[in-house]
Amino acid sequence: MRITYLGHSAVMIMHEGFSVLIDPFLSDNPLAPVAASTLDPDLILLTHGHHDHVGDALSIAKRTQAPVVAAPELIALLEAEGLPAGKPLNIGGTVEWQGGRARMVQAVHSSSYGDRYAGEAAGYLIDWGGMRLYHAGDTALFGDMKLFSAIQVDLAMLPIGGVYTMDARDALDAVRWIQPARVMPMHCNTFPQVQADPDRFVFEVNENTGCRGLVLSPGASLELS
Ligand code: NI
Ligand code: MN
């Protein structure tokens, strides 16, 4: 399984010829490593309606016909703009594809699309190819992350930028609670409001927890097996 970090909270996961794209914020991200027009995902997962997460999802979905998974309220708003294949999912619901599945889980955050309410913000727990991944979306630290330790997460992708999400200090507590094998920081340094030092975060993770921290630069990939 290959995980490619596309900057901010955008991640492409590829396994056995199938690709899942999460939160493809590219065209308006000055640090995006690829153009949205180069991506050909089989499935798109959106954590919530904010522009730095929905990003280019609509244009990619229109071009590729890839189904988009998101909160029902967000799907309805995207369908009004011509989304070809929406898969509404609410917290606790699961979407499946060949050999894999993603469960939408709680995030403590808001969600709007333009000036419209876009449902609940969420994260995803992904079970695919023997790997368990947690993409937290935008969230504050919340106590039920402690329950995720039972899942034995192989890779957690956590925001550390503060202001709109938890900061690096809270993300370190999230690592202690989730106890993933690996953690990748995200949602930092894309714009001035979300400044954080991912290398410092990873140092703290490696010094203080049993988890291995990994900084992926936008465009870098990680092989999991
Ligand atoms: Ni947000
Ligand atoms: Mn965000």
Side-chain angles (χ1 to χ4, degrees), residues 122-217:
Y124 288 99
L125 282 171
I126 297 168
D127 190 339
W128 189 17
M131 290 290 141
R132 291 169 179 142
L133 315 176
Y134 171 48
H135 187 293
D138 278 359
T139 188
L141 184 67
F142 58 91
D144 278 7
M145 285 181 180
K146 292 174 182 174
L147 302 176
F148 293 167
S149 64
I151 294 166
Q152 297 185 304
V153 171
D154 294 288
L155 174 67
M157 294 164 267
L158 303 180
I160 67 163
V163 181
Y164 302 112
T165 69
M166 58 186 172
D167 59 15
R169 182 181 298 237
D170 278 355
L172 186 61
D173 280 335
V175 170
R176 289 190 176 102
W177 292 353
I178 300 165
Q179 299 177 25
R182 305 169 191 81
V183 65
M184 183 191 108
M186 60 181 189
H187 208 274
C188 61
N189 303 329
T190 318
F191 23 78
Q193 296 91 333
V194 291
Q195 294 299 311
D197 184 343
D199 293 306
R200 178 77 199 174
F201 169 72
V202 159
F203 175 81
E204 295 287 345
V205 165
N206 292 337
E207 285 289 302
N208 297 298
T209 76
C211 172
R212 178 155 163 253
L214 304 157
V215 176
L216 265 67
S217 306

Side-chain angles (χ1 to χ4, degrees), residues 10-183:
V11 178
M12 178 78 101
I13 307 166
M14 284 166 281
H15 181 59
E16 293 181 339
F18 195 92
S19 56
V20 175
L21 178 61
I22 306 175
D23 285 358
F25 172 62
L26 300 162
S27 296
D28 293 334
N29 178 359
L31 304 179
V34 296
S37 60
T38 65
L39 299 177
D40 188 15
D42 296 295
L43 185 69
I44 299 170
L45 306 181
L46 299 179
T47 61
H48 64 294
H50 291 154
H51 179 60
D52 60 316
H53 298 261
V54 173
D56 299 285
L58 195 54
S59 68
I60 295 169
K62 284 179 178 176
R63 175 173 52 79
T64 64
Q65 303 294 306
V68 171
V69 177
E73 296 86 351
L74 179 55
I75 291 293
L77 295 171
L78 293 171
E79 283 177 341
E81 296 184 12
L83 180 71
K87 282 179 174 280
L89 205 62
N90 218 320
I91 311 275
T94 298
V95 61
E96 298 195 13
W97 61 92
Q98 52 182 65
R101 69 181 94 99
R103 177 151 50 101
M104 185 179 266
V105 296
Q106 173 190 19
V108 177
H109 192 65
S110 59
S111 179
S112 55
Y113 181 73
D115 59 356
R116 311 281 294 276
Y117 171 71
E120 295 291 301
Y124 288 99
L125 282 171
I126 297 168
D127 190 339
W128 189 17
M131 290 290 141
R132 291 169 179 142
L133 315 176
Y134 171 48
H135 187 293
D138 278 359
T139 188
L141 184 67
F142 58 91
D144 278 7
M145 285 181 180
K146 292 174 182 174
L147 302 176
F148 293 167
S149 64
I151 294 166
Q152 297 185 304
V153 171
D154 294 288
L155 174 67
M157 294 164 267
L158 303 180
I160 67 163
V163 181
Y164 302 112
T165 69
M166 58 186 172
D167 59 15
R169 182 181 298 237
D170 278 355
L172 186 61
D173 280 335
V175 170
R176 289 190 176 102
W177 292 353
I178 300 165
Q179 299 177 25
R182 305 169 191 81
V183 65

